[in-house]
Amino acid sequence: MHQMTPAMQACIEECLRCHSTCLGMAMNHCLEAGGKHVEPQHFRLMMACATICQTSANMMLIGTPHHKHTCAECAEICEECAKSCEAVGGMEDCVAQCRKCAASCRELSA
């Protein structure tokens, strides 16, 4: 059995929170708001963010050292998603959670 460090446990929680936030915002807020919120590039990025966050959490829970790769990619996509959500506007919760997740994943990917 692998050792679950406090930093890894915190990162898993941030990833799962980010997955939930991005998916929920995309499917509820963005679809309802329309316009810039559902432009393909933005919407796909939100779906990519939700997916990589879930995948990253899963890799850490599995206990594979490959989590460093998924965490690195997760940090990059989360930052991109935060910028996109910030540019669209009215998505402060998503921006904040993506940035928290990115910071946590960056720490574990080092």
Side-chain angles (χ1 to χ4, degrees):
M1 189 145 152
H2 77 285
Q3 281 292 82
M4 182 72 65
T5 66
M8 188 178 286
Q9 186 59 47
C11 190
I12 290 167
E13 290 168 14
E14 291 299 342
C15 285
L16 293 175
R17 238 186 320 273
C18 196
H19 168 259
S20 176
T21 300
C22 284
L23 189 60
M25 289 284 290
M27 292 299 134
N28 296 294
H29 173 78
C30 289
L31 284 178
E32 297 295 324
K36 292 188 292 185
H37 292 272
V38 291
E39 285 180 359
Q41 186 175 357
H42 172 73
F43 203 80
R44 282 188 189 111
L45 185 53
M46 289 192 73
M47 292 296 93
C49 190
T51 300
I52 193 66
C53 287
Q54 185 177 45
T55 300
S56 209
N58 287 348
M59 294 297 270
M60 288 181 275
L61 287 165
I62 289 167
T64 175
H66 294 282
H67 79 269
K68 289 183 180 243
H69 306 293
T70 55
C71 282
E73 190 62 24
C74 188
E76 187 176 323
I77 292 173
C78 282
E79 279 299 335
E80 233 180 278
C81 190
K83 287 176 188 169
S84 182
C85 290
E86 199 168 47
V88 167
M91 302 181 69
E92 292 77 17
D93 289 348
C94 201
V95 172
Q97 188 54 52
C98 283
R99 291 209 166 115
K100 283 164 106 179
C101 186
S104 189
C105 277
R106 220 181 280 87
E107 183 182 317
L108 279 189
S109 68

